[in-house]
Amino acid sequence: MSDGIILKEERYALVGAALEVHRTIGNGFTEYVYQDALEVEFQKRNIPYVREKHMNVFYKNIKLRHDFYVDFLCYGRIIIECKATSSICGEHEAQIINYCNIGKSPVGILINFGTLSLQYKQFVFSKYLNMHNDDKKF
């Protein structure tokens, strides 16, 4: 994991959109409400995204039966995972790290709308920076 300036402007735009959602509606809603509001904010800001992006999971090059969906894939390379809990915990961090590794995404942003002040944590994986979307298995 690296903490360099990978996709700096895109990360700034995404966190800014999340801050606007939290500033506008505050905490206390479910994840789906925040996802809906964040989607509206992405549209207003012309941020390219796919909501509930399907991802396959492979084990030893065999596609497993159960897949999962990330909340948002933005700019074709940044995974956003939304939470509405009392705090970010290790389980949430492990989830987004796994999503980034499965999707070979260079950046993951974990956003928690459930607190008085917005919480977010960014994860940067420089090893995936030069990978193209069509190289990914999702």
Side-chain angles (χ1 to χ4, degrees):
M1 214 165 24
S2 168
D3 62 357
I5 57 171
I6 295 172
L7 301 168
K8 182 180 178 180
E9 292 83 20
E10 292 88 346
R11 290 164 40 191
Y12 183 80
L14 294 167
V15 171
L19 284 166
E20 178 63 17
V21 167
H22 194 273
R23 185 189 68 73
T24 302
I25 63 175
N27 65 325
F29 293 100
T30 65
E31 286 179 24
Y32 292 115
V33 171
Y34 294 110
Q35 290 168 357
D36 291 346
L38 197 54
E39 183 173 26
V40 169
E41 199 61 36
F42 288 165
Q43 290 169 353
K44 289 179 72 174
R45 295 172 183 232
N46 295 315
I47 294 174
Y49 71 93
V50 176
R51 185 165 177 184
E52 297 181 1
K53 174 69 176 159
H54 174 256
M55 298 181 84
N56 295 315
V57 180
F58 290 83
Y59 175 74
K60 295 186 176 183
N61 292 321
I62 298 170
K63 183 186 171 304
L64 299 180
R65 194 172 11 162
H66 294 96
D67 300 334
F68 63 95
Y69 297 83
V70 297
D71 291 338
F72 294 96
L73 178 67
C74 299
Y75 298 102
R77 302 162 60 153
I78 300 175
I79 291 175
I80 302 288
E81 181 63 26
C82 298
K83 298 295 179 193
T85 63
S86 60
S87 67
I88 292 174
C89 68
E91 182 180 323
H92 302 144
E93 293 174 358
Q95 181 182 20
I96 192 140
I97 290 168
N98 286 335
Y99 287 179
C100 287
N101 284 323
I102 296 270
K104 299 189 179 10
S105 294
V107 175
I109 304 175
L110 175 60
I111 302 171
N112 183 24
F113 293 96
T115 52
L116 289 177
S117 295
L118 183 79
Q119 292 181 325
Y120 65 93
K121 193 163 186 179
Q122 300 182 54
F123 299 85
V124 179
F125 302 90
S126 56
K127 65 184 176 182
Y128 300 132
L129 186 60
N130 295 322
M131 299 196 82
H132 300 287
N133 285 342
D134 36 351
D135 294 337
K136 298 178 184 178
K137 292 183 175 182
F138 63 80

